[in-house]
Amino acid sequence: MAKQHIVVLTGAGISAESGLKTFRDNDGLWENYNVYEVATPEAYSKDRELVLRFYNQRRAQLTEVKPNAGHLALQKLEDKFKVSIITQNIDDLHERAGSSDIHHLHGELVKVQSTRNPNLVEHWGYHPVEIGDKAPDGSQWRPHVVWFGEPVPGISKAAKICQTADHLLVVGTSLAVYPAAGLVHEIAPGVNVTVVDPGEMEDSPIRGANHIRKSAASALPELIEKWLDRGMV
Ligand code: APR
């Protein structure tokens, strides 16, 4: 029998217990910055140095954190299921937990892209990007991150993945940002949704979901153990 396909949509909440801040829990500030001062093309045009420095700090921070029990449980899920992870996170904690099929909707901190050509992307690692670090096309390397107002190149592929889901697991996202939040409408009729998030999610586009109001690191190991024991969701 073919393995059941579980699609997991993750957001900042899954990395909270690793020590990375979420976006909407801190008065609209992200690590003490207003996101519009650091995460828009306008911000980058206005002050490249500030934006590069901000992401250099985020990249360096990755070396100080590690995957938590939530990321690790999702990797374990692959023992019996086909698992696709669609993440809005730019950290590399799903990779470091060992998950094998990961789609980053909003880019990756460990990669850079050419300022002129968003398709010119290279692995960079954890060291800082400085003014003068140039892509082969001669333009400045910038973070490989989708900023507010920029297109989300991975969204159609992610939608296709959701259409083949036998179950959708949503972890640690407020579903406030589109088009990512719209992915929950791509699942086939009758496919069940489980949400793991300690928040109320009153305005979330998910209705009728089984909502476990706990943190990812406390809820996922138990939930996933149950699914693995049963061999089905
Ligand atoms: N476990 C699970 N969920 C948690 C935890 C935790 N330990 N802590 C907080 N949460 C939940 C919050 O209740 C909230 O619903 O995680 C969610 C975080 O929501 P946001 O901060 O809005 O993050 P996210 O949904 O990932 O944001 C989406 O917005 O700023 C942009 O591009 C950025 O990818 C980001 C996108």
Side-chain angles (χ1 to χ4, degrees), residues 11-14 16-17 22-25 35 88-89 106 146 148 171-177 196-199 201 214-217:
I14 194 166
E17 286 154 291
T22 59
F23 297 92
R24 286 170 188 77
D25 292 336
V35 288
Q88 296 163 83
N89 299 344
H106 296 161
V146 175
F148 287 99
V171 186
T173 170
S174 59
L175 296 173
V177 170
V196 173
D197 195 305
M201 309 192 70
K214 286 187 186 165
S215 82

Side-chain angles (χ1 to χ4, degrees), residues 51-123:
V51 173
L52 292 182
R53 193 166 60 234
F54 175 76
Y55 284 96
N56 286 343
Q57 288 162 359
R58 305 282 70 72
R59 207 177 289 108
Q61 197 179 21
L62 291 184
T63 63
E64 292 155 17
V65 299
K66 50 184 200 311
N68 64 54
H71 299 100
L72 296 169
L74 289 176
Q75 190 284 325
K76 192 94 181 37
L77 195 56
E78 295 184 17
D79 285 355
K80 291 205 182 146
F81 299 94
K82 175 178 165 169
V83 179
S84 304
I85 295 185
I86 301 172
T87 185
Q88 296 163 83
N89 299 344
I90 56 176
D91 66 54
D92 61 351
L93 295 178
H94 285 304
E95 279 83 358
R96 282 156 57 193
S99 284
S100 53
D101 188 32
I102 307 163
H103 305 264
H104 284 272
L105 281 179
H106 296 161
E108 292 173 75
L109 275 170
V110 296
K111 293 183 179 169
V112 287
Q113 70 187 53
S114 140
T115 292
R116 197 176 300 142
N117 173 8
N119 298 316
L120 182 52
V121 176
E122 245 178 47
H123 183 80

Side-chain angles (χ1 to χ4, degrees), residues 1-231:
M1 211 173 81
K3 286 181 179 176
Q4 276 189 306
H5 184 200
I6 303 183
V7 175
V8 190
L9 178 61
T10 66
I14 194 166
S15 298
E17 286 154 291
S18 292
L20 299 176
K21 295 251 163 58
T22 59
F23 297 92
R24 286 170 188 77
D25 292 336
N26 305 290
D27 304 327
L29 297 184
W30 181 23
E31 300 282 1
N32 298 325
Y33 285 85
N34 173 330
V35 288
Y36 297 102
E37 280 167 25
V38 289
T40 61
E42 292 74 22
Y44 183 62
S45 305
K46 197 172 131 210
D47 193 342
R48 274 189 185 188
E49 217 165 322
L50 171 81
V51 173
L52 292 182
R53 193 166 60 234
F54 175 76
Y55 284 96
N56 286 343
Q57 288 162 359
R58 305 282 70 72
R59 207 177 289 108
Q61 197 179 21
L62 291 184
T63 63
E64 292 155 17
V65 299
K66 50 184 200 311
N68 64 54
H71 299 100
L72 296 169
L74 289 176
Q75 190 284 325
K76 192 94 181 37
L77 195 56
E78 295 184 17
D79 285 355
K80 291 205 182 146
F81 299 94
K82 175 178 165 169
V83 179
S84 304
I85 295 185
I86 301 172
T87 185
Q88 296 163 83
N89 299 344
I90 56 176
D91 66 54
D92 61 351
L93 295 178
H94 285 304
E95 279 83 358
R96 282 156 57 193
S99 284
S100 53
D101 188 32
I102 307 163
H103 305 264
H104 284 272
L105 281 179
H106 296 161
E108 292 173 75
L109 275 170
V110 296
K111 293 183 179 169
V112 287
Q113 70 187 53
S114 140
T115 292
R116 197 176 300 142
N117 173 8
N119 298 316
L120 182 52
V121 176
E122 245 178 47
H123 183 80
W124 185 263
Y126 300 111
H127 60 287
V129 178
E130 308 290 359
I131 298 282
D133 287 334
K134 300 263 173 74
D137 65 0
S139 74
Q140 172 71 39
W141 280 128
R142 56 159 264 191
H144 177 53
V145 166
V146 175
W147 287 326
F148 287 99
E150 292 189 316
V152 178
I155 197 71
S156 359
K157 186 160 184 213
K160 286 207 177 73
I161 294 169
C162 289
Q163 288 156 11
T164 66
D166 295 310
H167 193 89
L168 178 67
L169 172 60
V170 179
V171 186
T173 170
S174 59
L175 296 173
V177 170
Y178 283 79
L183 287 173
V184 299
H185 301 302
E186 294 290 340
I187 55 174
V191 167
N192 289 326
V193 180
T194 303
V195 177
V196 173
D197 195 305
E200 282 309 316
M201 309 192 70
E202 280 153 9
D203 303 324
S204 126
I206 292 191
R207 269 182 224 103
N210 167 29
H211 184 177
I212 302 170
R213 287 184 178 76
K214 286 187 186 165
S215 82
S218 61
L220 285 178
E222 197 181 318
L223 175 73
I224 284 170
E225 206 50 53
K226 192 173 82 186
W227 287 351
L228 288 170
D229 276 352
R230 213 161 55 193

